Amino acid sequence: MTPLEKKAIEVLNKNWKGNFSIPCENLYPFQWFWDSGLIAIGFAHFDMSKAEKEIFTLLDAQWDNGFIPHIVFHSETDSYFPGADFHHSSLHPQASKKYKTTGITQPPVTGFVLEELYRISSDKEATLNFIKTVIDKVYFNHEYFYNNRDPKDEGLIYIYHNWESGTDNSPIWDDIWETMNPPEYTFERRDTTHVDASQRPSKREYDHYLHIIEIAKEHNYNDQKIAELSPFLVQDPLFNALLIKSNESLIKLYHLIENNEEKIKQLHNWQSKAIHSFNTKLFDEEIGAYIHYDLRNEKPLKYLSSSSFSPLFAGIPNKQRATSMIKLMLDKFGGDHQYLCASFDPTSDRFNPKKYWRGPVWINLNWMLYRGVSEYEYEDVAERIKKDSIEIIEKNGFYEYFDSRKEIHEKENAGYGGNNFSWSAALLIDLIRS
Ligand code: DGY
């Protein structure tokens, strides 16, 4: 085992809290939905029981309507804002009675994570037995999405908050903020006491974030009301690609488990509609990749980001389209002076390589792109993404995100946000071992 892998294991064990993991100390002191899934992939390589507990605990916080919240507040710490009292999830009649949670969700990674656990496992029978105990909860979550988050029956799910996208302060949301004028709230940020403010969203951005949640709370997080009233209603390519990827994994796993014909049939129905709409509605010919769609204002959001390439991970584009997307990624994001893959178009004037999702490289997206590009058999590009990911961690440590400009890594620390960040450690282990 390399020293870097050893250090990654230490990071994961340190962030392990008995039956779930935190993304990192202080900045993110609870359990986060998509973090949790990706962390389980890392644990699966050296401690399957922790991987299983991680997923079990996450799914234990599922609401009675199938919804899985983006944060499960396991403790009372006040190092994070906005906490459980602000989110007030119990306003929803079907919210978890056991845990305090948020009333927003995050990208649905759990389906493909279960398949990853099975792939990595050295005791397939035991892992499949675990999967049997939780897989219906994941299916129920997908059913929640298709029944409640697809008002036009397109097979494309909307998100109603930027925190649901996972790409929290992407410049894409600037267009939505221009349509809103929220009050100036008074509140105490906690993130900027742990991390330099230049690497985090602005106060005015937070006003927007809080305002959307206030509207949802006024209506007890009722999905129909949110669809009617939320100023933020977006079909996001990353979110939908991960749902499609997870559908595919559920189909494969249900086949292994046997006797689940009805669910497999339903999953195939969701898939064919979703993939068709994805390829027709979310692909932008002019840009040459997938983009977001603003469902509230009925307009495409014509920006290139790392999310634009994420459909490669779910096998959504055909080979020809995939080939031109990979070329675009290399041309715009992959010059000799750049690490792959910046989170936002480096040629845009909205690009900021230091600020959260406005430009830095993220290991989770890199891991998805690595896997996607390999599936389309561009092994040299896949190797480049893997090498870049390992190199930026080696140079800086297990940070949350990294500067995409190589020259910065020569001069100073180019890792930003939280340090000893769980998914950077987890996916590094998987990249090295796969
Ligand atoms: C934050 O507080 O920035 C979180 O990422 C929201 O999920």
Side-chain angles (χ1 to χ4, degrees), residues 27-28 32 70-71 80-82 106 163 168 200 206 356:
L27 186 60
Y28 306 118
W32 262 256
H70 108 292
I71 303 177
Y80 180 83
F81 173 83
Q106 251 183 345
W163 282 337
D168 298 353
R200 295 287 305 174
Y206 261 75
Y356 208 33

Side-chain angles (χ1 to χ4, degrees), residues 7-18:
K7 177 78 179 80
I9 290 174
E10 269 168 43
V11 168
L12 286 182
N13 282 334
K14 193 140 181 292
N15 288 340
W16 174 251
K17 300 293 166 199

Side-chain angles (χ1 to χ4, degrees), residues 88-114:
H88 199 177
S89 55
S90 60
L91 286 169
H92 192 288
Q94 290 173 299
S96 169
K97 306 284 179 289
K98 189 165 170 184
Y99 302 95
K100 291 180 180 173
T101 73
T102 60
I104 58 180
T105 189
Q106 251 183 345
V109 297
T110 341
F112 75 78
V113 167
L114 291 183

